Amino acid sequence: MTMPLCDIVEIELAKRWWAARSAELTTRFRTSREAARKKDGHFTMWFASATYSAFGLVDLYLIPDVAPPLVATRLILSAIFVMVVGWQYRRGVAADWIDTTCASIVLLAYGSWLAFATSSGYAFNVSYYMAYGVIFMMVANLLFNFRIRLAILLSCGIMVAFLTAMLLSFPMPAEYYVSSLVLYVSSFTLTLLVNWKLNVERYHVFLNALKAKLREDEVVERGKELLRLSNTDPLTGLKNRRAIEEDLAAYWQAWQDERRSFAAVLIDIDYFKNFNDHYGHQEGDSCLALVANALADLAQGWDGTVGRFGGEEFIVLAAVSDDAGIAHFAESIRRTVEDLRLPHERRPDGEGVVTVSIGAASTANSSAKRVERLISEADTALYRAKGSGRNCAWVFDQNDGSLGEENEDIATLLKSAIADDLVSLVYQPIRRVSTGRIEAAEALMRLRGRDGRMIPPNIFIPVAERTGAIVELGRWALETACLELIAADLAPVVSVNVSAIQLKTPGFAIMVAGVLSETGIDPQRLAFEITEGREIEGNADVLRCINELRQLGIQLWLDDFGTGFAGLSCLRTIAFDTVKIDRSFLHGATLGAGHMLLEDMVRLIRNHGQRLVVEGVETERHLALLKSLRVEWAQGYHLGRPTALDGFRSLIAAEASNPIRVVISAG
Ligand code: C2E
Ligand code: MG
Ligand code: MG
């Protein structure tokens, strides 16, 4: 197995200076320095040539007899050198070749000077040039950025050339040669040492930069993975609600701007609860996945997009506009699922296979001014399809009077739902993972249609939010939860879901204070679950309201953490007491990357000092995973389904009388 690059870099940074370098990193280092070295070589040649020409003035002073041809040679050579290296640079010649050319040029320049100097009559003055040889060495080792081997070769060349020329042309006392040699060797060693240290330093700078880059890449990769996971439904691999809502917004925009009409089709698996109860959750999941696959294939053929809207509900968007086309599209979806022939023996209607009910609406035959209205029309059609015996498709038609009737329209239903006793609360236990004890309960709202059928929250809550009915319903839920659970002391803490619309409503905190004083309950035992989202974080009214709630002493919990864009910044702006990680992360944690992601999220929230609830514990395996991560609290079907007050009361009573059973069944 090859070692990750990041580890190789760490090892390289810890190595002593004499240890052999990694071949891979050395190659990367050279490649990264290539362009800079070429540029350096080119620029330095200009500078060195100018200096070489300027030294002609010293020639005129010290060796005037040979100075005229020598100065001319210096000027001509300088011009040629600059041109040769410039040409190489422009042609893109490799840095090693440019360096070799520069080194040869330095040697040639030195040799040319020696040739003239040794024929001068001013032997004594020529001997002074010994000092200038050191300058050539500095040029070789410091000015140019030569690799060590080339620098050594060049320095030795200069030293040998000078000493040999002096020995042959101007016999001097032995002391002169000895001191020249000492001067050369010491400056040679010193400049070489500096050159070498510079190279090591550059290599370390490169390694540190590479390490930072690799870390950054890793963070970006994780971010992408997080985004992908937060857009994908882990069970079916389809887009999740958030992602499909973004697509919906894009379709709607295209309809507004370019009149490109489209259809929104809601698909709900019939009697899915019976299916789950009979075949178990694993089979339920695989049924969802098979239906999802079939829908994805079909949508592709219509150039549409498909997502999981909630539990057993899917949505398909496609650019189909005429009535006949939509009816045909909806019917082909229905038939595709039926043709899967997935057995479903526990259907009350005796059909025997899994089928779907479908509600469709299209911009072409709707007067909807907002996208929410279009979805509500599709909802209404779906509701109608279910009411017509299921396994059928309905297309919303605004001219169809029967669809607008009071008992079919969720919005109308909601207006009188409290008065007509159609809403109720169910409670789902939240347990401490280590002991299995119930330490809180979440209140979830339920709505019953006039025909007695339950309408799921993911259908009626958006309608309630759109119409504003959520304000009254929310107040009712709060009062009811306080009275039913806290006043009766059935759970230490009860959490109530609160939507952004409620938080934006003027006087919300005053209303809450009123409920607290009327019911006389301890605010610390009440928690508000607020779902992360842009409306929360970016809205001054909401932030003010959240502050007021905090002052009342109510706990604030962040719900469905990780599903929205605002997650992390929400954590920073609002001091939540508890964070609930969305169930998609637990369900996705069976894969390696998903596991790491969940672990990271747990660590992040824990480091931030918040308490943690993980939602969606559906299996023993999920629970074991949370135990291994030492998560404090958990919630999910495996730990207790949402039940009506009586059921919840019995659960508490049963567990109080037999605590050992709790630990066994829950832990
Ligand atoms: P939520 O607040 O995240 O509630 C948790 C949802 O997950 C509930 O769905 C619950 O039944 C479901 N659930 C619990 N354990 C499991 C599990 O192990 N697996 C799976 N797959 N699901 C599980 P429900 O009751 O359908 O509520 C859906 C959403 O509707 C809630 O999500 C909440 O956002 C909203 N909602 C419910 N009641 C109210 C309310 O009174 N006010 C407001 N504003 N929103 C509410
Ligand atoms: Mg909640
Ligand atoms: Mg939640």
Side-chain angles (χ1 to χ4, degrees), residues 6 11 27 67 70 250 368 528 554 662 664:
C6 215
I11 294 171
T27 315
L70 178 52
F528 279 169
I554 293 169
V662 183
I664 294 168

Side-chain angles (χ1 to χ4, degrees), residues 442 444 497 529 559-560 580 615:
E442 177 173 9
L444 294 157
N497 292 283
E529 290 197 13
D559 203 0
D560 302 340
K580 296 182 81 176
E615 304 178 314

Side-chain angles (χ1 to χ4, degrees), residues 212-281:
K213 169 92 176 54
L214 290 172
R215 291 241 165 98
E216 190 189 312
D217 288 353
E218 198 182 331
V219 170
V220 169
E221 262 321 299
R222 284 213 181 173
K224 277 191 198 153
E225 180 63 8
L226 182 66
L227 191 66
R228 198 189 59 74
L229 276 175
S230 74
N231 275 331
T232 310
D233 172 53
L235 179 67
T236 59
L238 295 182
K239 293 182 178 180
N240 62 14
R241 186 177 182 124
R242 198 181 59 73
I244 198 77
E245 273 176 352
E246 276 179 10
D247 285 355
L248 184 60
Y251 268 93
W252 183 258
Q253 204 54 50
W255 159 245
Q256 296 290 298
D257 298 345
E258 301 155 39
R259 302 320 276 173
R260 269 196 272 150
S261 94
F262 70 98
V265 184
L266 294 178
I267 301 143
D268 197 280
I269 301 183
D270 296 326
Y271 302 109
F272 189 66
K273 187 174 176 324
N274 304 30
F275 186 97
N276 258 341
D277 291 347
H278 180 56
Y279 295 101
H281 275 282

